[in-house]
Amino acid sequence: MEKKPYISLYWKCQLIGWSVAALYWTFQGWIDSGNFRIDLAVVQFILDVAMYILITHLYRNFAHKKHWKDLTLKKLMWRMLIVIPVMGIFYAVVTISKLYLVRLLFLGHPLQSFTDFFNANAVNIFVAGIRLMAIWLLAYHLYHYAKREMRLSVENARLELSFKQSQLDNLSAQLNPHFLFNALNNIKFLVYTRPDAAGRAVDLLSELLRSGLYKGNTMLIRLNEEVDLVRDYLELEGLRMEERLQYELDIDISLSGLMVPRLCIQTLVENAVKHGVALEKQGGKIDVIINERDRLVSIRVLSPGKLGQDKAVEGIGLKNLKERLNLSYQGQASFNLYEVGQQVCAEIKIPLR
């Protein structure tokens, strides 16, 4: 099936808008002129549409290159105070030149020199150009501003939904009967053998449950807070798995205040315990390494195993994490899962802000 030619909304608006304006000027010329010429009107119409589309399209390309569509209204308005007069000048020069040349070609000998004709019409045409360019710029930028706001609203809604799902996934993992059964059994055992450790285990378990239930809608937290949560989780799992679980945290202290997506490292560590250490007969070690690389913050979680051993290694939790990173950082963050020797590395890279 043959595809129909596609014309974007921008070009439709350009063609329709300037054609309507040119028709209005033609109608005005027909009313005001006692010697209306259809050939002259057609030429004027074609030139008007072509020239003013060219002027506004050149501005559109310039604004797109400078990313002016992403500016706030306040910053954009300051630029418009300069752009509108400049475009008004372009409009006046082009329009006066067009009128003079058309009269020269169709009427033979003009009654005035170009300088006299320019001086006589420059102010009125410049004012008209200011008005027309201001209307065009207002319509163009308001459309893109509204479109951007709608896009941001959708992205924020998706981010909030994704975060809610992440909270539910995290809470579900913490309320998992197997997890609770093991944790409570360990606590019961510790009550008789190591009372101090049993109290610590209760504190750790309550802190983990509280993080899933009572942290509200906070989507970004300080790195040091996220690391504290990870440390509590690993300590609690260490009480359960004993010597089978070893872990080491290598954190660049200068990054402690960095805001990161909540539960992002926690998700990687839980995944490393479940799909890495827990599957190894002798257990293993988890390394959490966080440092700065090339203006990016690298968060790496290394655990024993192979990617091919467990097809579920990249399940719902990690897919949810990818989406949250993409929405939170507009595509500037990344997540990768790869092998390093006999270990699996889950790495998050986020821009340093």
Side-chain angles (χ1 to χ4, degrees):
M1 185 175 179
E2 187 178 351
K3 292 184 178 180
K4 296 181 179 179
Y6 172 75
I7 301 177
S8 67
L9 179 62
Y10 165 76
W11 283 110
K12 288 178 182 177
C13 291
Q14 282 280 68
L15 291 168
I16 294 173
W18 287 116
S19 294
V20 170
L23 284 173
Y24 172 77
W25 296 326
T26 302
F27 179 72
Q28 287 291 106
W30 177 60
I31 293 176
D32 298 338
S33 176
N35 186 24
F36 182 79
R37 290 179 54 177
I38 188 65
D39 57 341
L40 187 58
V42 170
V43 172
Q44 294 266 41
F45 174 85
I46 294 173
L47 289 175
D48 285 343
V49 173
M51 289 189 309
Y52 303 140
I53 284 180
L54 177 62
I55 292 175
T56 52
H57 186 65
L58 287 174
Y59 168 78
R60 183 248 192 187
N61 289 343
F62 173 80
H64 182 75
K65 184 178 179 180
K66 298 294 183 180
H67 303 287
W68 283 8
K69 290 188 293 185
D70 300 325
L71 295 174
T72 61
L73 282 179
K74 184 178 180 180
K75 291 182 178 180
L76 185 62
M77 291 306 296
W78 282 108
R79 287 164 173 78
M80 291 302 98
L81 292 176
I82 300 174
V83 169
I84 291 174
V86 170
M87 291 186 70
I89 292 172
F90 273 101
Y91 175 90
V93 171
V94 169
T95 302
I96 292 173
S97 300
K98 181 260 301 183
L99 289 173
Y100 188 82
L101 289 173
V102 167
R103 293 186 181 193
L104 182 63
L105 291 173
F106 282 83
L107 302 179
H109 300 285
L111 299 176
Q112 296 174 292
S113 66
F114 179 78
T115 302
D116 293 336
F117 184 77
F118 184 91
N119 293 334
N121 296 280
V123 175
N124 290 335
I125 293 178
F126 173 71
V127 172
I130 289 286
R131 183 170 61 250
L132 280 170
M133 293 301 114
I135 293 171
W136 189 93
L137 288 167
L138 183 65
Y140 177 77
H141 283 293
L142 282 180
Y143 168 76
H144 284 288
Y145 181 78
K147 189 176 179 181
R148 183 183 68 184
E149 289 301 306
M150 287 189 290
R151 185 186 74 248
L152 290 176
S153 296
V154 171
E155 288 182 353
N156 287 335
R158 286 177 57 201
L159 179 59
E160 187 172 352
L161 181 62
S162 178
F163 178 69
K164 289 293 185 184
Q165 184 61 49
S166 178
Q167 282 183 301
L168 290 173
D169 292 341
N170 183 261
L171 184 59
S172 175
Q174 291 163 5
L175 294 177
N176 183 284
H178 182 69
F179 174 83
L180 282 177
F181 177 79
N182 286 330
L184 292 174
N185 254 354
N186 283 322
I187 291 172
K188 179 182 178 181
F189 175 76
L190 291 171
V191 166
Y192 295 106
T193 59
R194 299 167 56 197
D196 293 340
R200 176 59 180 162
V202 171
D203 290 339
L204 292 170
L205 181 59
S206 64
E207 183 61 32
L208 287 170
L209 294 176
R210 188 181 299 113
S211 71
L213 288 169
Y214 303 117
K215 287 293 185 179
N217 295 322
T218 304
M219 287 185 276
L220 293 175
I221 63 172
R222 293 183 181 277
L223 178 63
N224 60 328
E225 295 175 333
E226 177 76 5
V227 170
D228 288 342
L229 182 64
V230 168
R231 190 178 283 112
D232 289 345
Y233 173 78
L234 286 171
E235 187 176 345
L236 181 61
E237 287 287 5
L239 292 174
R240 178 174 69 88
M241 302 178 70
E242 297 181 335
E243 68 277 359
R244 291 185 65 233
L245 174 62
Q246 306 294 321
Y247 61 88
E248 182 177 349
L249 278 64
D250 182 7
I251 316 296
D252 187 343
I253 299 178
S254 65
L255 301 173
S256 298
L258 180 75
M259 302 301 289
V260 298
R262 183 176 154 214
L263 303 177
C264 65
I265 308 176
Q266 171 78 2
T267 300
L268 299 186
V269 171
E270 286 184 7
N271 200 67
V273 172
K274 180 180 178 181
H275 300 289
V277 177
L279 299 180
E280 298 291 328
K281 190 173 183 179
Q282 301 300 322
K285 181 182 178 184
I286 291 177
D287 291 295
V288 180
I289 305 170
I290 304 175
N291 52 31
E292 179 188 345
R293 292 180 170 184
D294 301 323
R295 298 297 296 171
L296 292 173
V297 176
S298 171
I299 301 171
R300 287 174 290 162
V301 176
L302 293 96
S303 58
K306 294 282 186 179
L307 287 178
Q309 289 181 351
D310 187 357
K311 294 181 180 179
V313 69
E314 190 172 351
I316 296 175
L318 294 185
K319 289 179 180 178
N320 182 279
L321 175 60
K322 282 184 177 180
E323 184 174 3
R324 284 203 294 142
L325 288 170
N326 185 54
L327 292 171
S328 297
Y329 297 95
Q330 289 78 49
Q332 297 180 17
S334 64
F335 170 77
N336 289 293
L337 197 63
Y338 55 90
E339 292 184 9
V340 180
Q342 298 300 312
Q343 292 180 303
V344 174
C345 180
E347 182 176 21
I348 294 173
K349 290 183 179 180
I350 60 176
L352 183 62
R353 295 181 177 176

mmCIF file of all heavy atoms in Angstrom, residues 198-230:
data_model
loop_
_atom_site.group_PDB
_atom_site.id
_atom_site.type_symbol
_atom_site.label_atom_id
_atom_site.label_comp_id
_atom_site.label_asym_id
_atom_site.label_seq_id
_atom_site.Cartn_x
_atom_site.Cartn_y
_atom_site.Cartn_z
ATOM 1 N N ALA A 198 20.704 -10.829 69.162
ATOM 2 C CA ALA A 198 19.261 -10.940 68.893
ATOM 3 C C ALA A 198 18.603 -9.565 68.916
ATOM 4 O O ALA A 198 17.759 -9.256 68.062
ATOM 5 C CB ALA A 198 18.611 -11.857 69.926
ATOM 6 N N GLY A 199 18.983 -8.745 69.866
ATOM 7 C CA GLY A 199 18.437 -7.383 69.914
ATOM 8 C C GLY A 199 18.816 -6.585 68.689
ATOM 9 O O GLY A 199 17.996 -5.840 68.127
ATOM 10 N N ARG A 200 20.051 -6.777 68.252
ATOM 11 C CA ARG A 200 20.508 -6.073 67.047
ATOM 12 C C ARG A 200 19.736 -6.551 65.823
ATOM 13 O O ARG A 200 19.358 -5.747 64.954
ATOM 14 C CB ARG A 200 22.011 -6.325 66.850
ATOM 15 C CG ARG A 200 22.605 -5.735 65.585
ATOM 16 C CD ARG A 200 22.426 -4.232 65.532
ATOM 17 N NE ARG A 200 23.000 -3.671 64.327
ATOM 18 C CZ ARG A 200 22.697 -2.468 63.854
ATOM 19 N NH1 ARG A 200 21.797 -1.702 64.484
ATOM 20 N NH2 ARG A 200 23.268 -2.012 62.772
ATOM 21 N N ALA A 201 19.466 -7.860 65.742
ATOM 22 C CA ALA A 201 18.720 -8.398 64.612
ATOM 23 C C ALA A 201 17.306 -7.838 64.561
ATOM 24 O O ALA A 201 16.783 -7.531 63.481
ATOM 25 C CB ALA A 201 18.685 -9.926 64.688
ATOM 26 N N VAL A 202 16.679 -7.684 65.728
ATOM 27 C CA VAL A 202 15.330 -7.099 65.780
ATOM 28 C C VAL A 202 15.367 -5.653 65.284
ATOM 29 O O VAL A 202 14.495 -5.215 64.524
ATOM 30 C CB VAL A 202 14.761 -7.175 67.212
ATOM 31 C CG1 VAL A 202 13.462 -6.362 67.314
ATOM 32 C CG2 VAL A 202 14.509 -8.614 67.615
ATOM 33 N N ASP A 203 16.378 -4.910 65.717
ATOM 34 C CA ASP A 203 16.515 -3.517 65.266
ATOM 35 C C ASP A 203 16.695 -3.441 63.752
ATOM 36 O O ASP A 203 16.089 -2.588 63.081
ATOM 37 C CB ASP A 203 17.717 -2.865 65.952
ATOM 38 C CG ASP A 203 17.488 -2.634 67.436
ATOM 39 O OD1 ASP A 203 16.306 -2.608 67.842
ATOM 40 O OD2 ASP A 203 18.485 -2.502 68.169
ATOM 41 N N LEU A 204 17.536 -4.319 63.214
ATOM 42 C CA LEU A 204 17.785 -4.317 61.767
ATOM 43 C C LEU A 204 16.525 -4.661 60.987
ATOM 44 O O LEU A 204 16.206 -4.025 59.976
ATOM 45 C CB LEU A 204 18.900 -5.310 61.421
ATOM 46 C CG LEU A 204 20.307 -4.966 61.918
ATOM 47 C CD1 LEU A 204 21.251 -6.141 61.725
ATOM 48 C CD2 LEU A 204 20.844 -3.733 61.198
ATOM 49 N N LEU A 205 15.805 -5.678 61.447
ATOM 50 C CA LEU A 205 14.590 -6.088 60.757
ATOM 51 C C LEU A 205 13.538 -4.981 60.801
ATOM 52 O O LEU A 205 12.889 -4.687 59.788
ATOM 53 C CB LEU A 205 14.033 -7.366 61.395
ATOM 54 C CG LEU A 205 12.762 -7.942 60.760
ATOM 55 C CD1 LEU A 205 12.999 -8.261 59.287
ATOM 56 C CD2 LEU A 205 12.293 -9.180 61.511
ATOM 57 N N SER A 206 13.389 -4.340 61.955
ATOM 58 C CA SER A 206 12.396 -3.263 62.060
ATOM 59 C C SER A 206 12.775 -2.079 61.191
ATOM 60 O O SER A 206 11.914 -1.426 60.585
ATOM 61 C CB SER A 206 12.256 -2.817 63.526
ATOM 62 O OG SER A 206 13.472 -2.258 63.998
ATOM 63 N N GLU A 207 14.085 -1.789 61.080
ATOM 64 C CA GLU A 207 14.532 -0.677 60.241
ATOM 65 C C GLU A 207 14.262 -0.955 58.766
ATOM 66 O O GLU A 207 13.821 -0.073 58.016
ATOM 67 C CB GLU A 207 16.023 -0.429 60.458
ATOM 68 C CG GLU A 207 16.591 0.758 59.689
ATOM 69 C CD GLU A 207 15.936 2.077 60.072
ATOM 70 O OE1 GLU A 207 15.527 2.222 61.247
ATOM 71 O OE2 GLU A 207 15.813 2.958 59.201
ATOM 72 N N LEU A 208 14.491 -2.200 58.339
ATOM 73 C CA LEU A 208 14.225 -2.564 56.953
ATOM 74 C C LEU A 208 12.740 -2.493 56.638
ATOM 75 O O LEU A 208 12.332 -1.996 55.581
ATOM 76 C CB LEU A 208 14.748 -3.976 56.668
ATOM 77 C CG LEU A 208 16.271 -4.117 56.558
ATOM 78 C CD1 LEU A 208 16.656 -5.587 56.526
ATOM 79 C CD2 LEU A 208 16.787 -3.416 55.311
ATOM 80 N N LEU A 209 11.907 -2.974 57.544
ATOM 81 C CA LEU A 209 10.467 -2.904 57.324
ATOM 82 C C LEU A 209 9.978 -1.463 57.327
ATOM 83 O O LEU A 209 9.113 -1.081 56.550
ATOM 84 C CB LEU A 209 9.734 -3.721 58.397
ATOM 85 C CG LEU A 209 9.983 -5.233 58.358
ATOM 86 C CD1 LEU A 209 9.288 -5.918 59.521
ATOM 87 C CD2 LEU A 209 9.514 -5.830 57.044
ATOM 88 N N ARG A 210 10.572 -0.647 58.199
ATOM 89 C CA ARG A 210 10.181 0.763 58.264
ATOM 90 C C ARG A 210 10.530 1.484 56.971
ATOM 91 O O ARG A 210 9.795 2.350 56.499
ATOM 92 C CB ARG A 210 10.882 1.439 59.443
ATOM 93 C CG ARG A 210 10.387 2.869 59.709
ATOM 94 C CD ARG A 210 11.117 3.521 60.875
ATOM 95 N NE ARG A 210 10.904 2.770 62.106
ATOM 96 C CZ ARG A 210 11.867 2.101 62.757
ATOM 97 N NH1 ARG A 210 13.105 2.091 62.276
ATOM 98 N NH2 ARG A 210 11.607 1.456 63.861
ATOM 99 N N SER A 211 11.648 1.110 56.349
ATOM 100 C CA SER A 211 12.055 1.760 55.100
ATOM 101 C C SER A 211 11.053 1.489 53.989
ATOM 102 O O SER A 211 10.871 2.292 53.084
ATOM 103 C CB SER A 211 13.441 1.266 54.676
ATOM 104 O OG SER A 211 13.374 -0.078 54.228
ATOM 105 N N GLY A 212 10.379 0.341 54.062
ATOM 106 C CA GLY A 212 9.384 0.018 53.047
ATOM 107 C C GLY A 212 8.016 0.577 53.352
ATOM 108 O O GLY A 212 7.198 0.780 52.459
ATOM 109 N N LEU A 213 7.738 0.865 54.642
ATOM 110 C CA LEU A 213 6.393 1.282 55.035
ATOM 111 C C LEU A 213 6.263 2.770 55.308
ATOM 112 O O LEU A 213 5.231 3.372 54.998
ATOM 113 C CB LEU A 213 5.971 0.515 56.307
ATOM 114 C CG LEU A 213 5.658 -0.979 56.121
ATOM 115 C CD1 LEU A 213 5.518 -1.645 57.485
ATOM 116 C CD2 LEU A 213 4.385 -1.160 55.318
ATOM 117 N N TYR A 214 7.266 3.389 55.886
ATOM 118 C CA TYR A 214 7.072 4.719 56.444
ATOM 119 C C TYR A 214 7.977 5.808 55.870
ATOM 120 O O TYR A 214 8.139 6.865 56.461
ATOM 121 C CB TYR A 214 7.268 4.685 57.972
ATOM 122 C CG TYR A 214 6.357 3.714 58.661
ATOM 123 C CD1 TYR A 214 6.883 2.623 59.355
ATOM 124 C CD2 TYR A 214 4.976 3.868 58.615
ATOM 125 C CE1 TYR A 214 6.049 1.713 59.989
ATOM 126 C CE2 TYR A 214 4.134 2.967 59.245
ATOM 127 C CZ TYR A 214 4.678 1.890 59.927
ATOM 128 O OH TYR A 214 3.851 1.001 60.537
ATOM 129 N N LYS A 215 8.561 5.584 54.731
ATOM 130 C CA LYS A 215 9.421 6.608 54.139
ATOM 131 C C LYS A 215 8.673 7.561 53.215
ATOM 132 O O LYS A 215 9.269 8.426 52.597
ATOM 133 C CB LYS A 215 10.578 5.945 53.372
ATOM 134 C CG LYS A 215 11.640 5.322 54.270
ATOM 135 C CD LYS A 215 12.391 6.369 55.061
ATOM 136 C CE LYS A 215 13.531 5.738 55.848
ATOM 137 N NZ LYS A 215 14.289 6.739 56.618
ATOM 138 N N GLY A 216 7.367 7.371 53.097
ATOM 139 C CA GLY A 216 6.572 8.296 52.296
ATOM 140 C C GLY A 216 6.881 8.209 50.816
ATOM 141 O O GLY A 216 7.221 7.157 50.297
ATOM 142 N N ASN A 217 6.771 9.373 50.127
ATOM 143 C CA ASN A 217 6.939 9.407 48.672
ATOM 144 C C ASN A 217 8.312 9.903 48.251
ATOM 145 O O ASN A 217 8.502 10.309 47.110
ATOM 146 C CB ASN A 217 5.862 10.308 48.049
ATOM 147 C CG ASN A 217 4.472 9.741 48.262
ATOM 148 O OD1 ASN A 217 4.280 8.537 48.204
ATOM 149 N ND2 ASN A 217 3.512 10.610 48.510
ATOM 150 N N THR A 218 9.265 9.924 49.200
ATOM 151 C CA THR A 218 10.603 10.407 48.875
ATOM 152 C C THR A 218 11.242 9.510 47.819
ATOM 153 O O THR A 218 11.414 8.314 48.040
ATOM 154 C CB THR A 218 11.491 10.431 50.129
ATOM 155 O OG1 THR A 218 10.852 11.213 51.124
ATOM 156 C CG2 THR A 218 12.856 11.011 49.804
ATOM 157 N N MET A 219 11.578 10.100 46.665
ATOM 158 C CA MET A 219 12.157 9.310 45.578
ATOM 159 C C MET A 219 13.672 9.449 45.496
ATOM 160 O O MET A 219 14.332 8.600 44.922
ATOM 161 C CB MET A 219 11.509 9.709 44.252
ATOM 162 C CG MET A 219 10.092 9.199 44.116
ATOM 163 S SD MET A 219 9.348 9.535 42.507
ATOM 164 C CE MET A 219 8.747 11.194 42.755
ATOM 165 N N LEU A 220 14.217 10.531 46.058
ATOM 166 C CA LEU A 220 15.659 10.727 46.086
ATOM 167 C C LEU A 220 16.113 10.894 47.530
ATOM 168 O O LEU A 220 15.493 11.625 48.299
ATOM 169 C CB LEU A 220 16.054 11.969 45.278
ATOM 170 C CG LEU A 220 15.836 11.933 43.761
ATOM 171 C CD1 LEU A 220 16.169 13.286 43.162
ATOM 172 C CD2 LEU A 220 16.678 10.854 43.101
ATOM 173 N N ILE A 221 17.171 10.207 47.899
ATOM 174 C CA ILE A 221 17.728 10.348 49.238
ATOM 175 C C ILE A 221 19.239 10.506 49.119
ATOM 176 O O ILE A 221 19.830 10.245 48.069
ATOM 177 C CB ILE A 221 17.403 9.138 50.138
ATOM 178 C CG1 ILE A 221 18.042 7.852 49.586
ATOM 179 C CG2 ILE A 221 15.902 8.964 50.308
ATOM 180 C CD1 ILE A 221 17.920 6.670 50.528
ATOM 181 N N ARG A 222 19.857 10.926 50.215
ATOM 182 C CA ARG A 222 21.309 11.084 50.218
ATOM 183 C C ARG A 222 21.983 9.709 50.120
ATOM 184 O O ARG A 222 21.480 8.706 50.625
ATOM 185 C CB ARG A 222 21.768 11.797 51.486
ATOM 186 C CG ARG A 222 21.316 13.245 51.558
ATOM 187 C CD ARG A 222 21.864 13.923 52.807
ATOM 188 N NE ARG A 222 21.411 15.299 52.892
ATOM 189 C CZ ARG A 222 21.973 16.317 52.264
ATOM 190 N NH1 ARG A 222 23.039 16.118 51.520
ATOM 191 N NH2 ARG A 222 21.498 17.532 52.392
ATOM 192 N N LEU A 223 23.132 9.705 49.460
ATOM 193 C CA LEU A 223 23.848 8.453 49.248
ATOM 194 C C LEU A 223 24.175 7.772 50.576
ATOM 195 O O LEU A 223 24.051 6.550 50.700
ATOM 196 C CB LEU A 223 25.131 8.721 48.458
ATOM 197 C CG LEU A 223 26.026 7.510 48.197
ATOM 198 C CD1 LEU A 223 25.299 6.478 47.339
ATOM 199 C CD2 LEU A 223 27.325 7.935 47.526
ATOM 200 N N ASN A 224 24.577 8.557 51.583
ATOM 201 C CA ASN A 224 24.942 7.951 52.861
ATOM 202 C C ASN A 224 23.746 7.269 53.530
ATOM 203 O O ASN A 224 23.892 6.250 54.205
ATOM 204 C CB ASN A 224 25.578 8.981 53.796
ATOM 205 C CG ASN A 224 24.654 10.133 54.109
ATOM 206 O OD1 ASN A 224 23.830 10.520 53.279
ATOM 207 N ND2 ASN A 224 24.757 10.697 55.302
ATOM 208 N N GLU A 225 22.521 7.793 53.314
ATOM 209 C CA GLU A 225 21.330 7.152 53.861
ATOM 210 C C GLU A 225 21.040 5.832 53.157
ATOM 211 O O GLU A 225 20.660 4.838 53.794
ATOM 212 C CB GLU A 225 20.127 8.095 53.742
ATOM 213 C CG GLU A 225 20.247 9.361 54.568
ATOM 214 C CD GLU A 225 19.099 10.323 54.344
ATOM 215 O OE1 GLU A 225 18.498 10.289 53.247
ATOM 216 O OE2 GLU A 225 18.799 11.101 55.267
ATOM 217 N N GLU A 226 21.209 5.816 51.849
ATOM 218 C CA GLU A 226 21.010 4.584 51.091
ATOM 219 C C GLU A 226 22.047 3.539 51.489
ATOM 220 O O GLU A 226 21.728 2.349 51.627
ATOM 221 C CB GLU A 226 21.097 4.879 49.589
ATOM 222 C CG GLU A 226 20.981 3.671 48.684
ATOM 223 C CD GLU A 226 19.555 3.144 48.557
ATOM 224 O OE1 GLU A 226 18.630 3.770 49.101
ATOM 225 O OE2 GLU A 226 19.380 2.090 47.921
ATOM 226 N N VAL A 227 23.283 3.974 51.699
ATOM 227 C CA VAL A 227 24.346 3.048 52.105
ATOM 228 C C VAL A 227 24.064 2.483 53.493
ATOM 229 O O VAL A 227 24.295 1.290 53.753
ATOM 230 C CB VAL A 227 25.719 3.747 52.058
ATOM 231 C CG1 VAL A 227 26.793 2.883 52.714
ATOM 232 C CG2 VAL A 227 26.112 4.063 50.619
ATOM 233 N N ASP A 228 23.532 3.305 54.400
ATOM 234 C CA ASP A 228 23.179 2.810 55.736
ATOM 235 C C ASP A 228 22.119 1.718 55.651
ATOM 236 O O ASP A 228 22.179 0.714 56.376
ATOM 237 C CB ASP A 228 22.655 3.962 56.601
ATOM 238 C CG ASP A 228 23.759 4.920 57.028
ATOM 239 O OD1 ASP A 228 24.945 4.516 56.959
ATOM 240 O OD2 ASP A 228 23.442 6.066 57.402
ATOM 241 N N LEU A 229 21.153 1.905 54.766
ATOM 242 C CA LEU A 229 20.113 0.900 54.574
ATOM 243 C C LEU A 229 20.711 -0.396 54.032
ATOM 244 O O LEU A 229 20.358 -1.505 54.477
ATOM 245 C CB LEU A 229 19.054 1.435 53.610
ATOM 246 C CG LEU A 229 17.850 0.534 53.323
ATOM 247 C CD1 LEU A 229 17.041 0.301 54.584
ATOM 248 C CD2 LEU A 229 16.969 1.163 52.249
ATOM 249 N N VAL A 230 21.622 -0.271 53.071
ATOM 250 C CA VAL A 230 22.295 -1.448 52.501
ATOM 251 C C VAL A 230 23.115 -2.160 53.565
ATOM 252 O O VAL A 230 23.111 -3.403 53.658
ATOM 253 C CB VAL A 230 23.191 -1.020 51.320
ATOM 254 C CG1 VAL A 230 24.117 -2.162 50.894
ATOM 255 C CG2 VAL A 230 22.343 -0.568 50.137
#
